[in-house]
Amino acid sequence: MLLMLPLLVSAHACAAPQPVSEAEVRACLRRLLPLPQEITIERRVTVPIDVIRLELGAEESELTQAAVGELAALLGEGVLAQSRPDNLFTIRLECASSDAAGAIRAPGVETLAALRNPEQAYLVTPLAANGLTVAALTDRGLYYGCKTVQQLLRPGLANGRVTIPLAEVRDWPDLAERGEWGGSANADIEWMAERKMNLVESHVDMSIDAAGQGVAKLDETLLERGRKHAVKVVPIITHLDQLAGSGIYERYPELKGVGKSAKGTWSADQIAPCFSQPRMPEILAEWFASLASQEGVSDVCVWLSEEQLQCECEHCRAEGQFVLEAKAAVRAWELAREKTPHVRLRILLTQGSYSTNDKVLAAVPPEVGISYYDGGRTYDSSRDPMIYPLLEDYAKQGRWLGCYPQLTASWRIVCPWSGPQFIRYRMTEFVQDGLQCLCGYATPSNRLYDLNVQAAAEWSWNSKGREEHEFAAAWATREGLKDAEKAADWAVMLGPVAWDVYGSGIPYPQFFGRAPNMVAKRTTPKLGEGMFRYFPTVEHIDRDLTVCRQALSLAEALDAPLLTAETRTIGGYVEMIRSVYDIATAVAGKEALTPDEQRRVQALVNDLDEASRNTVAGLGEWDAATGPGLGGGRFADTVQVTDQTAVDVAAALAAFGIEDPSAPYRRRKTGAWESADFQPGAERITKRWDVTDTLLTPGRYRVEFVYTGGWWGATIYRVALATAPADQPEQLTEIAVDEHEGVAAYHNRDHVYLLPVDEHGPGVKYYLIADLKGVTSEGKPENRRDCNGDVWLWRERPDGE
C-alpha cells in the first residue's frame, strides 16, 4: 500500500537558486562519506528551516520511519507538521515495492535495477527550485539516500536557515556488505550506519539447556538497532574447536574428538568435535534454529575450527575434519530452514582449514556464502594480494565470497596508523576480485583507527571515487581539523612509511623476540627480507626517516596532538629499524670486538635506546589523545615489547661489554594476580609483592596494573610502597601511597599509580601493596571465568636525562 503523508510546515517565499562555484562544490563533496558514485551540483538555495516539509510516498516500514525520524531530528520536528500553506521546500521520499508498481515519480529510477546491488541504490533529484526527491527501489536504498541528504544539509544549517545543494545523485555500493566484527563494532552500529556500513557480525551466547537441547541467543537490542539503521547483524556460531564454554562436552562427553590431533595447543578446552556422532550436527542445527527464530536475523555464520585439528576416529579421519564441519553446518541450516526458510548460511574458512579449503568449497552448495579468514593471511598489513587463486576463481563463478581483513597495523598489537593507501589497495582488490562482503577487524576500537575505518567505508562503497589525498582531505574536513589540505598532505606522506613499518611486521611479530635473536646469533641482516621486508636499502630507511620529520612538521603546524603522536610513533619505529640493522651488521659473525668496535656498538645501542624511548613516548601521547586506556591490554603489550626490544638487544651484547643505558628506568614485572586469589564473598583483597630487587634508588616510581586474560578485569583502590627490616618482613612502614580507583581490564581506566621514594635505605626490604577487587571463577560458567593480570614497576626518568 502506498502511503502519502503530506508533512507540511509554515510558508515563506523560497529564495531563487544560485549557481555554485567549483570551490563550493568541492567543499560540499568533502562533507560526504562515502562519496556517491555519480553526483552533480550546479545550484543551491537558502531557505528558512520552517518552510521545509517532508513528504513520504513509500511503504511505511521500520526503516523508512527511521529515515524520516533522522531528517526530522536534523531539521526539527516542525517538518512533521500536518497543516501548513503550500509555498514550501519539499523533500519527497519515494520507494517502489511490489504493492506499489508505477508509484515512483522520480525520472530515471528504473535505471537503478540494472546497477550493482540495486536494493541499496538510490536517486536524489532536484524538484525545480523548491525541493528534492529521494527515490529508491527498497527502503534500504531510501535510507541511504536520506543519509546523503543529511550530509548535504548539515553543513548549511545556521541561524534558522539552511543552504541546500540542489544535487543530482545516482548512487550504489560496490560491495553488498561493508562492516566489521569484534572490537567496538556492536557499540558503533549508529556510527557505522552514518557512513553507510551495513554489517556487524556478533558472537552469541550458546549453551545446552536442562533437556540437552542447544540454545543460542543474540541480544535483541542489537538486532533492533541494526534494523533501524540498515545494518545486518549476523550472529556467529563460534570456532567449532572452541565450544567447551557452551557446556556441550559436560552434557555429551562422547562428542569430543578423539586422539592427540583433536586437541589444541593453547587451551585444554580447545578440541575438535567429532562430527561423526549424529548428535553433533543436531546440536549445531538447534543453535542455528534458535538464532534463526529471532526477528531481524537473516544470516548465520558458522566459524570452522581455528587450528588444524582432526578427530582421529575412523570416519572423521577418512573424510577430513573441515569437510565434515562444513557439511554439518550445511545440514544444520537445512534442518533449521524447515521452520525458518528465510535464513541463509555462511561459513568462515580459517587458517586451520586453509590446506583443505578446496575440499570445503566443493562440499557446500552454491547458495551458501563463504567468508575467508586466516590469522596469518587476512590479518596482514603487507602489500601482498589477499585473495588467492582458489578464491579468485570461486568469486568469478558468481559465488558469494566475503573476507575478514584487519583494518589496522596488526591484530596483536595496538599502534597508530592512518593509512589511506593501504585501505584503498585492499578495498580495490576486493571489488575487482568480485567479493560481496567486507567484514573488517579493528581491535580494540574504531576510535583508534578512525581514518582507516572510514576509508574502508569509502572505498568499499565507491572503489573508483576519490584519490587518497582527496579522501584524506574529506576525512579531515569532517573531523574539524583546521587545515584539511595540510592534514591530507600529512596522511598521504606518512601512510606509505607506516605501511613499510607494519608491512614488515614491526612491532609484531618481529619485535616479539626475532630482532634480539638476530643480534644474539650474530646473523647478518638482509635488507628486503624479514623485519626489513619493505626496506630494500639503507637509503630507503633514511628516506622514510626524512619523510617522518617532514610529516612531524606538518602535524605540529596543524596543532593536532593525535597526528603528532602518530608521527612520533612511526618515526620512532623507523629509527629502531635503522638501529637494529646497524647493530646487527656491526656484530655479525663476530666473537669479540676491538675497543673501537665496542665504542661504536655502544653508541648504536644508545641510539636504539633513544629510539625506543621516543617510540614509547609517542605511543603514550597517542593513548592520551585517543582516550586513555582505550587500547586495553594489547596496547600495554605494544609499549612493553617496544621497550623490551631495546632491553633484549643490549642483553644480547653483554658479552661484548655493552651496557643497557636505560637499565635503571626499565619497566619490570613485579607481581601478578589471578582468579585463585579471589574467593566467594572475599573478592576484595590485599596483595603484597617484594620489589626490593627493582626499587634500587630514590625517585618517582610508576606502577601499572595490566589485564592479561580472562573474562573479568580487576578494580584497584589503593597502592602503597612500604619498607620492613630484612629480618622482620611483617613490620611494614608505608612510605608512599596513591589512592584512587582504577580498572585493569579489556579497556583500562586510571590503572597507573605514582609513588615517590625520597630516600633509599640499605638493609631494608621494599614491598608493593595493592588493595584490589577481582572475580573468582568458582561457580562461573566456563566461558565467564578467569581474572588475570600483571603488575609492572619502573622508575621515571628525571627531566633532562
Side-chain angles (χ1 to χ4, degrees):
M1 176 180 177
L2 182 67
L3 299 178
M4 295 299 297
L5 303 178
L7 309 173
L8 309 179
V9 298
S10 62
H12 290 269
C14 289
Q18 301 295 316
V20 294
S21 66
E22 289 186 11
E24 288 172 323
V25 172
R26 188 179 187 187
C28 184
L29 295 183
R30 283 185 174 178
R31 294 287 181 176
L32 304 182
L33 197 150
L35 181 71
Q37 300 273 1
E38 299 173 3
I39 181 168
T40 302
I41 304 173
E42 296 181 349
R43 299 177 301 159
R44 58 176 169 78
V45 64
T46 301
V47 301
I49 293 175
D50 63 3
V51 309
I52 301 175
R53 72 172 181 177
L54 297 182
E55 182 177 283
L56 178 62
E59 290 289 337
E60 189 171 10
S61 68
E62 194 171 29
L63 201 50
T64 56
Q65 288 177 338
V68 169
E70 289 181 13
L71 282 167
L74 178 67
L75 298 171
E77 293 297 321
V79 298
L80 301 179
Q82 294 292 311
S83 171
R84 297 292 173 88
D86 292 333
N87 193 5
L88 311 164
F89 187 96
T90 301
I91 300 176
R92 180 181 296 153
L93 311 182
E94 298 182 349
C95 182
S97 74
S98 58
D99 296 329
I104 290 290
R105 289 166 286 176
V109 72
E110 68 280 355
T111 67
L112 298 180
L115 299 175
R116 181 181 290 181
N117 305 307
E119 74 285 351
Q120 299 179 58
Y122 65 91
L123 291 177
V124 178
T125 309
L127 293 171
N130 64 344
L132 291 172
T133 293
V134 184
L137 301 176
T138 71
D139 55 359
R140 275 187 286 170
L142 188 68
Y143 183 81
Y144 289 136
C146 289
K147 281 294 185 189
T148 296
V149 169
Q150 290 173 49
Q151 292 180 4
L152 287 167
L153 297 180
R154 192 172 287 115
L157 287 165
N159 302 318
R161 299 175 69 81
V162 58
T163 297
I164 304 173
L166 298 175
E168 295 185 40
V169 184
R170 190 172 76 145
D171 197 16
W172 66 93
D174 286 337
L175 292 184
E177 294 185 7
R178 309 160 303 280
E180 296 179 329
W181 84 275
S184 61
N186 285 3
D188 286 347
I189 281 179
E190 293 78 8
W191 182 89
M192 294 168 68
E194 175 64 23
R195 292 146 182 85
K196 297 190 176 76
M197 299 181 88
N198 67 343
L199 172 69
V200 167
E201 295 202 2
S202 183
H203 281 293
V204 302
D205 287 324
M206 301 189 304
S207 62
I208 305 296
D209 67 14
Q213 298 293 302
V215 178
K217 188 172 180 59
L218 185 61
D219 180 9
E220 294 282 359
T221 303
L222 192 66
L223 287 168
E224 181 183 9
R225 289 167 57 214
R227 292 196 306 269
K228 290 182 177 179
H229 293 89
V231 173
K232 179 186 292 187
V233 180
V234 175
I236 297 166
I237 294 177
T238 195
H239 289 298
L240 296 178
D241 55 348
Q242 298 171 26
L243 298 179
S246 69
I248 186 172
Y249 299 134
E250 294 176 0
R251 180 66 176 80
Y252 299 105
E254 71 274 13
L255 301 185
K256 285 185 177 182
V258 299
K260 185 177 179 180
S261 297
K263 298 177 181 178
T265 59
W266 54 266
S267 169
D269 289 335
Q270 187 191 19
I271 189 163
C274 178
F275 277 98
S276 301
Q277 296 284 339
R279 187 69 185 114
M280 189 64 237
E282 289 173 359
I283 290 176
L284 198 59
E286 289 160 7
W287 282 330
F288 197 109
S290 294
L291 296 167
S293 67
Q294 293 189 254
E295 182 182 359
V297 173
S298 62
D299 299 77
V300 175
C301 189
V302 177
W303 288 9
L304 301 183
S305 289
E306 194 164 27
E307 284 198 32
Q308 197 168 19
L309 306 182
Q310 175 65 63
C311 172
E312 293 183 8
C313 78
E314 183 178 353
H315 181 75
C316 287
R317 193 171 59 249
E319 191 154 11
Q321 183 72 31
F322 294 96
V323 171
L324 277 175
E325 290 183 0
K327 286 184 175 180
V330 172
R331 180 58 180 154
W333 169 59
E334 291 172 343
L335 292 172
R337 69 175 176 173
E338 293 175 5
K339 294 183 178 179
T340 54
H342 66 287
V343 176
R344 295 177 295 271
L345 168 67
R346 55 186 69 177
I347 293 173
L348 182 75
L349 308 175
T350 69
Q351 62 261 30
S353 73
Y354 184 81
S355 63
T356 56
N357 279 347
D358 56 338
K359 297 180 176 61
V360 171
L361 297 183
V364 301
E367 58 269 33
V368 172
I370 293 291
S371 286
Y372 173 45
Y373 152 75
D374 184 307
R377 295 178 176 90
T378 67
Y379 288 174
D380 172 65
S381 298
S382 76
R383 292 178 169 89
D384 294 337
M386 186 166 287
I387 308 304
Y388 65 107
L390 173 69
L391 298 182
E392 285 183 28
D393 293 342
Y394 184 82
K396 286 176 183 177
Q397 297 169 24
R399 303 286 290 270
W400 192 100
L401 180 65
C403 189
Y404 278 45
Q406 65 186 28
L407 304 176
T408 65
S410 167
W411 68 272
R412 178 63 181 83
I413 50 89
V414 178
C415 285
W417 190 10
S418 300
Q421 296 91 344
F422 164 65
I423 298 296
R424 188 184 186 200
Y425 167 79
R426 198 59 79 201
M427 297 304 106
T428 300
E429 177 192 5
F430 292 169
V431 172
Q432 290 178 346
D433 284 348
L435 271 66
Q436 296 286 329
C437 172
L438 158 72
C439 190
Y441 187 52
T443 185
S445 171
N446 287 327
R447 302 293 80 74
L448 298 173
Y449 299 100
D450 189 87
L451 184 146
N452 280 17
V453 176
Q454 296 203 53
E458 168 86 4
W459 284 307
S460 63
W461 180 281
N462 182 359
S463 63
K464 296 181 180 179
R466 286 183 274 231
E467 299 291 329
E468 291 91 339
H469 189 280
E470 188 57 27
F471 164 77
W475 169 81
T477 299
R478 287 169 56 91
E479 295 302 310
L481 296 179
K482 70 179 184 181
D483 189 328
E485 290 293 334
K486 286 186 177 178
D489 291 344
W490 170 86
V492 298
M493 180 183 295
L494 191 64
V497 177
W499 203 355
D500 287 345
V501 171
Y502 299 133
S504 299
I506 305 295
Y508 180 82
Q510 301 297 342
F511 280 7
F512 281 65
R514 296 186 185 181
N517 284 344
M518 176 178 62
V519 174
K521 293 178 180 178
R522 313 295 188 250
T523 303
T524 301
K526 295 182 180 180
L527 293 172
E529 297 181 13
M531 67 173 287
F532 309 107
R533 179 178 183 185
Y534 292 117
F535 299 95
T537 64
V538 170
E539 290 75 19
H540 187 106
I541 302 175
D542 291 341
R543 280 197 301 271
D544 276 1
L545 287 170
T546 299
V547 170
C548 288
R549 288 190 287 269
Q550 294 169 343
L552 184 60
S553 296
L554 276 175
E556 290 174 340
L558 286 165
D559 192 25
L562 197 63
L563 309 192
T564 301
E566 179 169 339
T567 312
R568 287 178 175 162
T569 301
I570 293 166
Y573 278 129
V574 179
E575 290 173 348
M576 291 183 72
I577 290 165
R578 177 62 198 263
S579 293
V580 170
Y581 174 77
D582 289 342
I583 292 167
T585 301
V587 301
K590 296 188 176 179
E591 297 182 0
L593 298 179
T594 68
D596 285 345
E597 289 172 335
Q598 184 184 29
R599 284 189 289 271
R600 180 171 181 270
V601 171
Q602 182 67 66
L604 292 173
V605 169
N606 294 348
D607 290 343
L608 175 62
D609 173 67
E610 183 178 4
S612 172
R613 287 190 282 114
N614 290 341
T615 310
V616 168
L619 286 166
E621 292 168 9
W622 181 64
D623 177 57
T626 54
L630 197 59
R634 291 183 184 179
F635 175 75
D637 284 352
T638 305
V639 172
Q640 193 273 330
V641 79
T642 301
D643 179 75
Q644 192 66 36
T645 296
V647 174
D648 291 346
V649 168
L653 299 170
F656 292 147
I658 303 301
E659 297 180 352
D660 177 1
S662 287
Y665 312 111
R666 294 296 185 196
R667 292 161 45 94
R668 289 180 171 83
K669 179 181 170 182
T670 54
W673 72 90
E674 57 186 23
S675 298
D677 293 328
F678 311 102
Q679 301 301 320
E683 295 183 331
R684 181 165 176 172
I685 64 173
T686 298
K687 289 277 291 182
R688 185 177 74 174
W689 302 280
D690 187 336
V691 296
T692 307
D693 292 339
T694 301
L695 201 150
L696 301 175
T697 61
R700 193 165 85 148
Y701 286 80
R702 285 180 174 261
V703 182
E704 182 177 14
F705 291 77
V706 178
Y707 158 87
T708 58
W711 183 257
W712 308 97
T715 302
I716 307 97
Y717 299 97
R718 183 179 187 273
V719 178
L721 272 174
T723 61
D727 57 349
Q728 296 175 305
E730 299 305 319
Q731 292 188 10
L732 298 173
T733 301
E734 290 188 352
I735 60 172
V737 175
D738 185 346
E739 188 168 354
H740 71 263
E741 184 175 306
V743 174
Y746 188 74
H747 293 301
N748 297 316
R749 175 172 57 80
D750 300 329
H751 63 304
V752 177
Y753 292 75
L754 303 179
L755 299 170
V757 177
D758 296 328
E759 297 180 357
H760 186 274
V764 298
K765 291 275 191 179
Y766 288 84
Y767 295 93
L768 184 66
I769 303 169
D771 174 14
L772 71 161
K773 182 179 180 181
V775 179
T776 179
S777 288
E778 188 173 332
K780 302 291 190 303
E782 287 189 30
N783 58 341
R784 296 290 189 274
R785 294 180 180 175
D786 293 330
C787 172
N788 305 317
D790 293 333
V791 183
W792 295 79
L793 177 70
W794 70 99
R795 178 187 163 199
E796 285 188 346
R797 186 183 297 270
D799 292 340
E801 285 194 18

